[in-house]
Amino acid sequence: MRERKGPRLAALGIALALLLAGCGSDDGTGVRNVDGTQPASGSGTASGSGTGSGSGTASGQAAACKPVGDAANADATIAVELKEWTVLPARADVPVGTVTFEARNTGKDAHELVVVRAADPADLPLAADGTVDEEKLPEGAFVGEIEAFGAGESCTGTFKLPAGGYALFCNLLETEADGSKENHYANGMRTRFEARG
């Protein structure tokens, strides 16, 4: 008796697609669409139809909060408000040590919080689409990030900060319903932060 391979191949294809969707949420560039997916290679936009479901459009969809690090071990906690088009920490500096950023999204779009060692947030290396090219950062400059989370939500990230200057920014690139791009970093979602030693 001959086996039917069609249903098996279809099931294998679906399983592979689900596996790939769940693996590796960061390709190293740091640029993500509003739903947390990676943009298509070289274009700065997500693959798909651009209709608003999982394509990085301005639908406001984002993955649920994924806290980073252990806030129980923090030496300090800093509230950070994220909204169009600002990153507003409650304080501009903190003593060196382990710091928890309590990011609160009071805007209408999904946002993320990226922490990078840098003297000036405006001088970070940029990709062709105007987002920060995290692959071109100096070695050791990337500290960590709180991945994109939805409007009205909060999320925490706990990172060890040696003495020096830091950039706090949102590096999302959205594709609007009309096909235009909305670059959060270029629109002003960046600020300087200091760890005092």
Side-chain angles (χ1 to χ4, degrees):
M1 183 168 163
R2 204 170 155 194
E3 289 185 7
R4 293 178 58 209
K5 293 183 181 180
R8 281 189 174 173
L9 289 176
L12 180 62
I14 290 169
L16 182 59
L18 291 173
L19 178 64
L20 291 175
C23 291
S25 65
D26 192 348
D27 68 355
T29 65
V31 179
R32 281 158 303 286
N33 293 305
V34 70
D35 64 356
T37 61
Q38 294 294 321
S41 175
S43 70
T45 59
S47 60
S49 66
T51 61
S53 65
S55 64
T57 63
S59 62
Q61 298 299 317
C65 166
K66 296 177 187 174
V68 179
D70 184 2
N73 293 325
D75 300 313
T77 300
I78 303 295
V80 181
E81 182 181 11
L82 304 173
K83 64 180 181 179
E84 299 78 31
W85 301 112
T86 58
V87 175
L88 300 168
R91 294 174 28 193
D93 63 4
V94 68
V96 296
T98 303
V99 177
T100 294
F101 293 99
E102 289 183 342
R104 189 170 38 110
N105 184 349
T106 62
K108 296 178 182 174
D109 293 336
H111 294 298
E112 68 176 357
L113 182 66
V114 183
V115 182
V116 170
R117 284 190 71 131
D120 186 348
D123 291 339
L124 297 173
L126 301 181
D129 61 9
T131 59
V132 174
D133 189 339
E134 294 176 20
E135 289 183 355
K136 292 184 180 175
L137 290 169
E139 187 173 334
F142 181 83
V143 174
E145 71 183 291
I146 300 170
E147 293 190 11
F149 61 98
E153 295 182 23
S154 295
C155 201
T156 61
T158 303
F159 311 106
K160 187 173 178 95
L161 301 184
Y166 292 85
L168 307 179
F169 61 96
C170 179
N171 205 29
L172 294 183
L173 179 66
E174 290 182 84
T175 302
E176 297 294 323
D178 64 2
S180 66
K181 305 293 184 207
E182 191 168 75
N183 182 329
H184 294 210
Y185 172 83
N187 284 346
M189 288 197 73
R190 57 184 185 236
T191 194
R192 190 174 192 288
F193 191 77
E194 185 81 21
R196 294 177 278 105

